[in-house]
């Protein structure tokens, strides 16, 4: 709790930028560089949030630097998706696929937790099985690869929590909840784009997306705060 509370003030710009996005609620029918900027602004604030902890921190903590890299690719993906109707959806998909690879690397492979992996495998397979009949052309395999990558990222986030061993931390909990929200956001995108109109889809997609990115960014810096807290104690 101490760690999360101490990071709160540093996230104020992110919350303000998120409010700006929802207040302006720029129409998706008229993509522009201004709408791209407003959409990406909360992610830019998360860059600053991580950079504010110091370059030395990012260099010495590989997980934090990989999450920052993931946020950079996310912003590029967000910009591409502004022009998805102009043929840039696949470009955005690629950027977010790279983001999930970076996040998975940041979360690490220890502990392995094969049960969590099996669970995520079943969830991912079920999602793809449902979407499959709606897909055509390159999306048939592109969506499969993307679901596998985000499912793998979710597995690594869940595995890190270790609830059964009572070894969880706020860092790992933030990563886990963030990964789950990211999956909800992307599943809503897929259902709305390929299957059927989802009520309030844009609000669901963006609210869960921004919350996911914030929690994953928070998980990157909390390790340092825990170390500093122990030193002061």
């Amino acid at each position: 709790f101490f760690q999360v509370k101490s990071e709160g003030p540093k996230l104020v710009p992110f919350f303000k930028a998120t409010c700006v996005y929802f207040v302006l609620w720029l129409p998706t029918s008229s993509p522009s560089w201004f709408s791209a900027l407003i959409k990406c602004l909360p992610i830019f604030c998360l860059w600053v949030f991580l950079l504010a902890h110091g370059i030395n921190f990012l260099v010495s903590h590989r997980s934090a630097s990989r999450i920052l890299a993931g946020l950079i690719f996310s912003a590029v993906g967000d910009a591409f998706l502004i022009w998805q109707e102009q043929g840039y959806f696949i470009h955005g998909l690629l950027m977010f696929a790279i983001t999930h690879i970076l996040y998975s690397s940041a979360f690490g492979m220890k502990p392995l937790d094969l049960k969590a992996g099996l669970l995520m495998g079943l969830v991912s397979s079920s999602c793809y099985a449902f979407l499959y009949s709606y897909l055509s052309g390159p999306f048939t395999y592109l969506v499969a690869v993307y679901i596998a990558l985000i499912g793998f990222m979710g597995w690594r986030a869940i595995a890190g929590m270790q609830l059964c061993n009572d070894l969880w931390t706020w860092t790992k909990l933030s990563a886990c909840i963030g990964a789950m929200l990211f999956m909800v956001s992307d599943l809503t995108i897929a259902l709305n784009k390929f299957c059927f109109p989802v009520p309030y889809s844009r609000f669901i997609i963006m609210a869960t997306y921004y919350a996911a990115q914030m929690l994953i960014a928070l998980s990157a810096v909390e390790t340092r705060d825990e170390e500093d807290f122990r030193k002061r104690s």
Side-chain angles (χ1 to χ4, degrees):
F1 176 77
F2 172 84
Q3 292 83 5
V4 174
K5 185 177 180 181
S6 69
E7 296 297 339
K10 300 172 189 174
L11 286 168
V12 169
F14 164 80
F15 289 123
K16 288 182 176 179
T18 302
C19 289
V20 168
Y21 172 82
F22 283 111
V23 168
L24 293 181
W25 205 249
L26 298 171
T28 55
S29 57
S30 55
S32 67
W33 286 107
F34 180 69
S35 60
L37 173 63
I38 295 302
K39 184 181 181 184
C40 295
L41 193 58
I43 306 304
F44 294 158
C45 291
L46 292 178
W47 295 5
V48 175
F49 170 69
L50 288 179
L51 290 168
H53 289 78
I55 298 298
N56 290 336
F57 165 70
L58 292 172
V59 171
S60 59
H61 293 77
R62 291 183 178 179
S63 61
S65 61
R66 288 168 184 169
I67 286 176
L68 175 60
L71 288 168
I72 292 172
F73 278 99
S74 293
V76 178
D78 282 330
F80 276 131
L81 292 181
I82 288 287
W83 284 276
Q84 61 176 293
E85 299 302 326
Q86 286 72 34
Y88 288 96
F89 182 80
I90 291 179
H91 299 72
L93 197 70
L94 175 61
M95 293 300 102
F96 280 107
I98 295 172
T99 294
H100 297 317
I101 293 171
L102 288 164
Y103 286 171
S104 299
S105 177
F107 299 151
M109 290 301 297
K110 294 180 181 179
L112 193 60
D113 196 346
L114 293 176
K115 290 182 180 179
L118 178 60
L119 173 63
M120 287 309 305
L122 290 172
V123 171
S124 299
S125 299
S126 299
C127 289
Y128 183 69
F130 179 82
L131 293 169
Y132 181 77
S133 60
Y134 295 93
L135 302 173
S136 61
F139 286 114
T140 303
Y141 58 86
L142 289 175
V143 171
V145 172
Y146 187 86
I147 288 177
L149 289 174
I150 195 171
F152 185 82
M153 186 270 288
W155 169 31
R156 297 324 309 148
I158 293 174
M161 271 219 312
Q162 299 186 73
L163 282 175
C164 295
N165 298 325
D166 199 27
L167 295 174
W168 70 276
T169 65
W170 284 109
T171 307
K172 295 169 183 176
L173 182 61
S174 295
C176 183
I177 297 175
M180 296 302 101
L181 288 175
F182 217 135
M183 295 179 73
V184 170
S185 178
D186 282 358
L187 179 59
T188 306
I189 290 176
L191 292 174
N192 193 64
K193 183 174 181 63
F194 299 114
C195 305
F196 47 79
V198 176
Y200 308 107
S201 60
R202 189 175 172 198
F203 176 80
I204 295 170
I205 290 165
M206 297 311 299
T208 52
Y209 170 70
Y210 286 140
Q213 294 283 39
M214 180 198 70
L215 289 167
I216 290 172
L218 183 63
S219 77
V221 302
E222 202 175 318
T223 300
R224 191 199 72 163
D225 294 333
E226 288 173 357
E227 292 171 355
D228 292 346
F229 179 66
R230 284 195 295 268
K231 290 176 182 177
R232 288 194 296 267
S233 300

